[in-house]
């Protein structure tokens, strides 16, 4: 493929600020989103860094419990709603969905731009809450602490999340309609790449669950501002009601965070094994099963909260059920590698890291779903380690894997491979060093959200903080070499990895209209013809 | 750490056993996953000439087998964890009750004999202890890692937690539900001692002379707040002939089923008594006019507990 013969790329379609801020091109909006979430990732990461700094000493190094509580609250809020929930859908999803479908754009390009603006407004409000002093309620906003006792900018934080929610809903809606309506001729449902299925499942959750969060936050705001008793028993409310509503959103939301990651991994493993995805239909339906069952397990966050024994038993059983499809996926990825021709480029290293870390995170979910074990482990660092393994070890690794994999497509440049591999390995090591000790701390009883702690937890905390430093290096590294590659990276061909999928049939970077001629799909995805692609380098 | 490993309670050791099983299952799965990945990346790396054969086709056999295997293991874990959990949260009937109130940021404990302590809990060993816990403000959580047990402490409710300590010693007590700025400082210790030592401790302590038995203190409150004016001295119940109004008898109330005017039947527990006291209009008892005033805002959490202790102490033949 000769790039110079292709029509002008989307990057060259206007160089003014205006041409970016008023664009309705899904590819440019994806780039805008990448800028935004990268910013929030590093702000949230900075908070995490200060948290780990504080915990270097049992007495707490930053000197103020109030500041500490604000740091972890801000860290959680920014990372969950301004990085993890949007991360893959609005960046890779936005960029790739139309390309993978063989479409010109998303179904509602202007709605797409509107969701970006909503997201930015939400982000500004969140930053206002942070700069104005922050909140100290944790990302979970439990009542009546949040509705009555807490000082700080609760309302601003709640409004920020409320607005971000509308951005999520608009994005989800856009993907659902796009996938239903804009598939290229011949692109049947079972010919869609798994990434699109994941995006679809994610969007359904976003559209169904986010309104519940919006209502919950509204009720919280009503109680706090007008003293209407909903959650505070002193004025006739029910404190557990908040937890039910919050987790009814937030458990499905954890799958919003991970499902797109599953999608990314399901693209990368076949591409670098030069082999068809093992058990395509099982992987696809596992995503759908997760999206459905994920709505029925929220009570597992409340095993010691004062719900009935019977409800605890039901939620425990259902939590095990939701873990089954995740296990199926892991086995299918490994099955894909069997008898493949495995290449070790950075995306694949991230993907393999993902499998290891996600599996560890998922397995520790089994501890927390086993009722009696949860009683001991809940509210401790064990839970913190569990969800960081799935969300950071899993999801963030998947995001990085995807960014590296599609970087040539998005930017038209190759990133420096050696640096990419080094980054993947440093992140894997740093991650384990940071979070593995937290499993032990949790088992030994160290509560989460403690500004200061008993002396005997010190050694493991030191290890964890040392890991955080390594991890920080690992995350800053890609920021450096990816930026470098934008200017000095080698030009990329249309399909530098030899991967299947419509997005690789158009030039890198793609032209504004994506495809010169609408592609026609004639075969299943992942048709890697091993003998052809492997020429024994 | 004496008493942490092995856990100071029998149930704690059972929890540890479950956790150990989970660790073993996890290690087995991780060994399988990492082992296969390692095997494949070495054996099937792109430049290895190993023969791959024709691609396999019948994937569903594998899918069915690993799904079934996963389900089977999960089911065992579910039953195991669930069975133990149910035992962890069902206190034996003969447990020694101790009252706990959480507030920002301290734990207040009151024993039946009226002995009070702050951020500390003294208990005898080899005897089931049941904590009856409530909060004055936000949600707290009473957690004793060495016993592998914890439970949230909610405002407006009585939650209960029980344990039986085997190993005497001093154990860490934490609040494990974020409750505000001082959350991290809301910790203390649980001191488990032999029965004779415990009795000495109960008898000693600060100003034993001024201490009043919880039930006795409750009795005084029962008169002072005018409860006896309707329910009769000793809570025997009132009728137009005796107290001027008909009011239900309170003796032997705990554990009895009570019919409400709504038609519902509830079992009288601590929370029921509390609700009758603070929001009587929500608890209209069948057969009586709803004339009881609300004492909301007039009685502290401690005094509510003392009144409950008093009502519990009233024995009656009508108990079912
Ligand atoms: C594989 C199956 C999984 C199971 C069985 C599972 C189980 C659980 C359970 C029972 C809890 C509650 C722990 C407690 O509070 O005591 C929990 C917490 C959590 N899990 Fe998972 N989990 C799984 C996977 C995931 C995934 C994939 C994610 C996200 C990508 C995730 C994110 C979280 C988060 C964020 C929390 C804690 C929230 C908080 O309290 O702040 N989990 N998990
Ligand atoms: Cu959950």
């Amino acid at each position: 493929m000769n790039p110079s013969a292709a029509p002008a790329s989307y990057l060259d379609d206007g160089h003014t600020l205006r041409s970016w801020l008023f664009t309705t091109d899904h590819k440019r909006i994806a780039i805008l989103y990448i800028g935004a979430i990268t910013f929030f990732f590093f702000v949230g990461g900075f908070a995490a860094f200060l948290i780990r700094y504080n915990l270097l000493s049992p007495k707490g190094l930053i000197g103020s419990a109030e500041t500490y509580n604000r740091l972890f609250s801000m860290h959680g809020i920014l990372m969950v709603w301004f990085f993890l929930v949007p991360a893959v859908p609005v960046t890779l999803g936005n960029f790739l969905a139309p390309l993978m479908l063989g479409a010109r754009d998303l179904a509602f390009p202007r709605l797409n731009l509107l969701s970006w603006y909503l997201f930015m407004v939400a982000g500004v409000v969140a930053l206002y809450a942070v700069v104005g002093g922050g909140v100290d309620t944790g990302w979970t906003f439990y009542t009546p602490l949040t509705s009555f006792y807490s000082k700080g900018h609760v309302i601003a934080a709640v409004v920020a999340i409320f607005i971000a929610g509308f951005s999520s809903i608009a994005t989800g809606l856009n993907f659902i309609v796009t996938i239903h309506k804009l598939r290229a001729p011949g692109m049947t449902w079972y010919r869609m790449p798994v990434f699109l299925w994941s995006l679809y499942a994610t969007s359904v959750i976003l559209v169904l669950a986010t309104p519940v969060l919006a209502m919950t936050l509204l009720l919280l705001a009503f109680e706090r501002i007008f003293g209407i008793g909903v959650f505070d028993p002193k004025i006739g409310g029910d404190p557990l009601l908040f937890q039910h509503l919050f987790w009814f959103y937030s458990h499905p939301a954890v799958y919003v965070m991970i499902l797109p990651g599953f999608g990314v991994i399901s693209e990368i493993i076949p591409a670098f094994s030069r082999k068809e995805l093992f058990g395509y239909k099982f992987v696809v339906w596992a995503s759908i099963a997760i999206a459905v069952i994920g709505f029925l397990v929220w009570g597992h966050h409340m095993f010691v909260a004062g719900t009935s024994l019977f409800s605890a038993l039901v939620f425990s059983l259902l939590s095990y059920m939701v873990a089954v499809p995740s296990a199926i996926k892991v086995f299918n990825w490994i099955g894909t590698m069997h008898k493949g021709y495995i290449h070790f480029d950075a995306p694949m290293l991230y993907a393999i890291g993902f499998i290891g870390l996600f599996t560890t995170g998922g397995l520790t979910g089994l501890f927390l779903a086993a009722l009696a074990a949860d009683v001991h482990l809940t509210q401790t660092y064990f839970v913190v380690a569990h969800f960081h393994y799935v969300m950071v070890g899993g999801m963030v690794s998947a995001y990085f894997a995807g960014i590296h994999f599609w970087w040539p497509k998005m930017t038209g440049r190759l990133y420096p491979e050696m640096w990419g591999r080094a980054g993947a390995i440093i992140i894997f090591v740093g991650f384990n060093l940071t979070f593995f000790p937290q499993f032990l701390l949790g088992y030994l009883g160290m509560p989460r959200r403690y500004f200061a702690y008993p002396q005997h937890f010190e050694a493991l905390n030191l290890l964890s903080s040392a890991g955080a430093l390594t991890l920080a290096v690992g995350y800053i590294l890609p920021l450096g070499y990816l930026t470098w590659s934008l200017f000095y990276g080698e030009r990329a061909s249309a399909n530098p990895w030899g991967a299947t999928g419509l997005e690789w049939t158009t030039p890198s970077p793609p032209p504004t209209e994506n495809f010169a001629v609408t592609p026609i799909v004639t075969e299943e995805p992942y048709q890697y013809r091993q003998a052809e692609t492997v020429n024994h380098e | 750490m004496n008493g942490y490993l092995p856990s100071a309670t029998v149930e704690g050791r059972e929890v540890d056993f479950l956790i150990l099983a989970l660790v073993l299952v996890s290690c087995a799965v991780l060994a399988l996953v990492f082992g296969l990945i390692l095997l494949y990346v070495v054996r099937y790396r792109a430049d290895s000439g190993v023969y791959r054969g024709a691609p396999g086709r019948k994937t569903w056999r594998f899918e069915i087998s690993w799904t079934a295997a996963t389900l089977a293991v999960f089911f065992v874990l579910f039953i195991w964890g669930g069975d133990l959990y149910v035992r962890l949260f069902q206190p034996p009937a003969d447990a020694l009750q101790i009252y706990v109130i959480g507030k920002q940021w301290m734990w207040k404990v009151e024993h039946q004999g009226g002995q009070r302590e702050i951020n500390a809990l003294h208990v005898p060993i080899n005897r089931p202890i049941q904590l009856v816990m409530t909060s004055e403000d936000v949600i707290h959580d009473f957690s004793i890692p060495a016993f592998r047990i914890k439970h949230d402490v909610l405002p407006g409710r009585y939650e209960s937690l029980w344990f039986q300590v085997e190993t005497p010693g001093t154990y860490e007590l934490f609040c494990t539900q974020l409750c505000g700025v001082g959350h991290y400082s809301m910790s203390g210790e649980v001191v488990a001692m032999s029965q004779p030592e415990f009795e000495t401790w109960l008898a000693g302590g600060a100003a034993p002379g001024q201490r009043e038995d919880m039930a006795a203190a409750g009795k005084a409150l029962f008169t002072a707040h005018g409860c006896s004016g309707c329910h009769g001295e000793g809570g025997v119940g009132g009728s137009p002939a005796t107290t001027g109004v008909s009011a239900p008898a309170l003796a032997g109330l705990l554990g009895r089923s009570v019919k409400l005017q709504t038609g519902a039947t509830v079992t009288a527990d601590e929370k029921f008594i509390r609700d009758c006291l603070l929001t009587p209009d929500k608890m209209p008892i069948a057969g009586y006019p709803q004339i009881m005033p609300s004492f909301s805002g007039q009685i502290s959490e401690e005094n509510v507990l003392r009144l409950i202790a008093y009502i519990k102490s009233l024995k009656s033949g009508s108990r079912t």
Side-chain angles (χ1 to χ4, degrees):
Chain A
M1 179 89 48
N2 178 0
S4 62
S9 93
Y10 80 99
L11 289 172
D12 291 327
D13 195 356
H15 293 276
T16 58
L17 192 61
R18 210 189 135 77
S19 73
W20 280 92
L21 291 183
F22 293 103
T23 181
T24 53
D25 182 347
H26 66 102
K27 300 183 286 303
R28 287 196 163 209
I29 295 174
I31 304 293
L32 291 177
Y33 266 123
I34 291 182
I37 69 165
T38 305
F39 173 75
F40 288 118
F41 178 72
F42 280 98
V43 178
F46 184 64
F49 196 77
L50 291 179
I51 292 171
R52 287 308 330 162
Y53 168 73
N54 179 65
L55 296 176
L56 277 171
S57 152
K59 292 197 181 64
L61 281 183
I62 56 176
S64 150
E66 191 159 8
T67 310
Y68 181 77
N69 288 9
R70 287 169 186 219
L71 280 173
F72 70 66
S73 304
M74 169 180 120
H75 167 71
I77 292 168
L78 289 183
M79 285 303 201
V80 167
W81 284 290
F82 294 91
F83 181 74
L84 287 165
V85 165
V88 167
V90 300
T91 59
L92 297 171
N94 237 331
F95 196 96
L96 294 165
L99 287 169
M100 287 180 161
L101 286 166
R104 163 74 185 75
D105 204 318
L106 288 180
F108 307 117
R110 274 175 294 185
L111 183 64
N112 197 16
L113 183 64
L114 177 67
S115 6
W116 184 75
Y117 276 103
L118 283 173
F119 183 71
M120 294 314 285
V121 171
V124 170
V125 178
L127 288 179
Y128 163 78
V130 169
V131 174
V135 288
D136 63 356
T137 60
W139 77 283
T140 46
F141 296 113
Y142 272 22
T143 56
L145 175 68
T146 305
S147 58
F148 189 69
Y149 292 86
S150 161
K151 298 183 189 66
H153 284 59
V154 173
I155 295 299
V158 162
V159 167
I161 297 166
F162 187 79
I163 301 174
F166 282 94
S167 168
S168 290
I169 295 172
T171 305
L173 211 68
N174 218 340
F175 284 134
I176 293 176
V177 176
T178 305
I179 292 173
H180 272 279
K181 289 291 174 197
L182 298 186
R183 282 172 284 133
M187 176 70 87
T188 60
W189 284 86
Y190 282 137
R191 283 183 186 164
M192 290 199 313
V194 171
F195 182 74
L196 291 178
W197 277 100
S198 315
L199 216 52
Y200 187 80
T202 308
S203 303
V204 171
I205 302 178
L206 279 177
V207 169
L208 293 180
T210 317
V212 178
L213 177 71
M215 291 183 303
T216 313
L217 294 177
L218 218 56
L219 290 172
L220 182 64
F222 277 0
E223 178 163 301
R224 194 172 159 97
I225 301 173
F226 305 118
I228 298 173
V230 185
F231 304 125
D232 186 346
K234 280 231 171 73
I235 45 179
D238 178 350
L240 283 187
L241 178 63
F242 178 83
Q243 296 178 29
H244 281 294
L245 292 173
F246 181 82
W247 292 115
F248 184 82
Y249 161 82
S250 287
H251 186 84
V254 308
Y255 288 110
V256 163
M257 303 179 215
I258 197 72
L259 279 172
F262 290 164
V264 170
I265 300 302
S266 304
E267 300 303 309
I268 290 176
I269 304 264
F272 291 91
S273 306
R274 301 286 186 271
K275 199 169 152 265
E276 193 179 347
L277 180 67
F278 193 90
Y280 171 86
K281 286 192 185 170
F282 285 87
V283 176
V284 160
W285 285 99
S287 297
I288 305 294
I290 287 175
V292 174
I293 308 173
F295 273 101
L296 307 175
V297 302
W298 77 90
H300 69 203
H301 296 270
M302 302 168 65
F303 288 155
V304 299
T307 56
S308 75
L309 290 183
F310 179 71
S311 94
L313 290 170
V314 172
F315 281 118
S316 165
L317 184 61
L318 286 166
S319 303
Y320 278 110
M321 294 300 124
V322 80
V324 173
S326 304
I328 292 179
K329 282 176 184 265
V330 169
F331 289 127
N332 278 297
W333 292 322
I334 298 175
T336 307
M337 294 166 70
H338 180 60
K339 296 191 174 176
Y341 290 82
I342 300 173
H343 294 254
F344 300 102
D345 303 281
M348 185 65 167
L349 293 188
Y350 277 113
I352 293 175
F354 168 95
I355 299 183
L357 300 180
F358 174 76
T359 305
T360 312
L363 285 167
T364 52
L366 304 180
F367 288 58
L368 300 172
L371 287 163
D374 181 69
V375 171
H376 177 50
L377 300 171
T378 185
Q379 316 286 11
T380 70
Y381 265 85
F382 192 94
V383 173
V384 176
H386 157 68
F387 66 74
H388 281 86
Y389 263 81
V390 273
M391 304 205 306
V392 182
M395 178 56 199
V396 180
S397 294
Y399 175 70
F400 275 63
I403 287 287
H404 283 80
F405 184 51
W406 284 292
W407 189 255
K409 182 56 61 188
M410 293 192 291
T411 65
R413 305 276 186 165
L414 299 178
Y415 62 85
E417 188 56 48
M418 268 346 238
W419 284 101
R421 292 182 192 179
I425 292 167
I426 294 174
I427 288 176
F428 184 83
V429 172
F431 179 85
N432 281 300
L433 194 55
T434 310
F435 291 104
F436 196 81
Q438 298 186 2
F439 284 128
L440 304 177
L441 280 172
Y443 174 73
L444 294 174
M446 177 161 167
R448 66 193 283 202
R449 298 169 166 172
Y450 263 37
F451 156 71
Y453 54 84
Q455 185 81 40
H456 60 98
F457 296 129
E458 188 174 12
L460 287 167
N461 272 296
L462 284 181
L463 261 185
S464 180
S465 292
L469 195 61
T470 319
L471 198 53
V473 172
Y475 285 141
I476 291 172
L477 208 60
L479 191 66
Y481 67 74
L482 288 178
T483 312
W484 175 88
S485 79
L486 283 181
F487 303 99
Y488 308 107
E490 212 181 301
R491 297 264 172 199
S493 64
N495 189 359
W497 307 117
T500 64
L502 292 180
E503 77 270 28
W504 300 109
T505 62
T506 186
S508 309
T512 305
E513 63 278 13
N514 289 351
F515 300 95
V517 198
T518 301
I520 295 174
V521 183
T522 55
E523 57 178 15
E524 318 295 295
Y526 314 113
Q527 295 304 310
Y528 289 96
R529 303 216 164 67
Q530 300 193 343
E532 292 168 29
T533 44
V534 173
N535 39 21
H536 289 270
E537 302 110 293
Chain B
M1 272 189 285
N2 177 37
Y4 198 88
L5 270 177
S7 169
T9 67
V10 177
E11 288 73 20
R13 291 200 289 277
E14 284 192 59
V15 171
D16 276 353
F17 196 46
L18 170 61
I19 292 178
L20 180 67
L22 283 156
V23 169
L24 293 179
V25 169
S26 304
C27 287
V29 174
L30 283 178
L32 184 73
V33 166
F34 277 98
L36 286 177
I37 291 181
L38 211 64
L39 178 71
Y40 293 168
V41 299
V42 173
R43 203 171 147 78
Y44 301 121
R45 64 189 187 279
D47 52 7
S48 118
V50 66
Y51 176 64
R52 264 79 166 178
R57 277 275 156 234
K58 289 209 182 89
T59 62
W60 60 269
R61 284 200 188 164
F62 291 98
E63 305 284 353
I64 303 292
S65 11
W66 59 52
T67 307
T70 312
L71 268 172
V73 174
F74 285 4
F75 198 69
V76 172
L77 293 174
F78 159 69
I79 296 288
W80 190 343
D83 169 64
L84 183 52
Y85 176 84
V86 169
R87 282 185 283 136
L88 285 182
F89 285 114
Q90 287 191 323
D94 60 342
L96 170 68
Q97 291 193 336
I98 301 175
Y99 297 90
V100 173
I101 297 176
K103 65 169 282 199
Q104 285 180 327
W105 290 283
M106 63 165 81
W107 294 107
K108 299 189 284 188
V109 174
E110 185 155 356
H111 295 261
Q112 297 204 4
Q115 296 86 350
R116 290 198 247 168
E117 33 184 345
I118 301 268
N119 289 344
L121 169 66
H122 286 75
V123 293
I125 57 167
N126 294 332
R127 181 161 173 203
I129 310 291
Q130 182 188 6
L131 305 181
V132 177
M133 315 183 292
T134 190
S135 162
E136 279 182 17
D137 37 47
V138 301
I139 301 177
H140 302 278
D141 187 296
F142 199 89
S143 160
I144 313 161
F147 306 164
R148 316 287 188 261
I149 191 93
K150 65 166 72 71
H151 202 281
D152 279 8
V153 177
L154 290 93
R157 288 212 198 186
Y158 294 109
E159 295 295 336
S160 112
L161 185 70
W162 83 272
F163 52 81
Q164 173 167 342
V165 195
E166 274 197 340
T167 325
T170 303
Y171 304 102
E172 282 172 325
L173 155 67
F174 294 119
C175 172
T176 54
Q177 185 64 265
L178 179 61
C179 58
V181 177
H183 173 50
Y184 72 96
S185 62
M186 203 170 148
S187 38
E189 57 188 32
V190 175
V191 184
M193 41 186 33
S194 68
Q195 184 69 31
E197 278 175 321
F198 180 64
E199 263 148 33
T200 317
W201 179 84
L202 282 181
Q210 292 170 13
R211 193 177 59 229
E212 207 181 355
D213 183 82
M214 278 184 83
K219 183 173 164 64
L221 291 165
F222 196 74
T223 313
H225 284 286
C227 315
S228 54
C230 293
H231 292 281
E233 290 300 332
V236 292
S239 66
T242 53
T243 60
V245 290
S246 56
L250 302 180
L253 178 61
L254 249 95
R256 203 195 285 162
S257 348
V258 178
K259 242 189 136 82
L260 300 184
Q261 286 175 17
T262 56
T265 306
V266 296
T267 307
D269 57 5
E270 289 92 351
K271 165 113 166 73
F272 173 79
I273 298 180
R274 183 181 196 282
D275 290 343
C276 289
L277 206 54
L278 303 183
T279 52
D281 46 325
K282 295 212 178 117
M283 293 281 160
I285 313 295
Y288 295 92
Q290 179 31 52
I291 51 170
M292 176 157 159
S294 162
F295 289 85
S296 172
Q298 300 174 38
I299 309 186
S300 69
E301 292 291 349
E302 278 99 336
N303 283 345
V304 175
L305 284 173
R306 291 186 187 113
L307 279 165
I308 291 174
Y310 171 60
I311 293 173
K312 276 186 189 170
S313 73
L314 300 171
K315 294 283 175 286
S316 119
S318 66
R319 183 161 185 156
T320 47

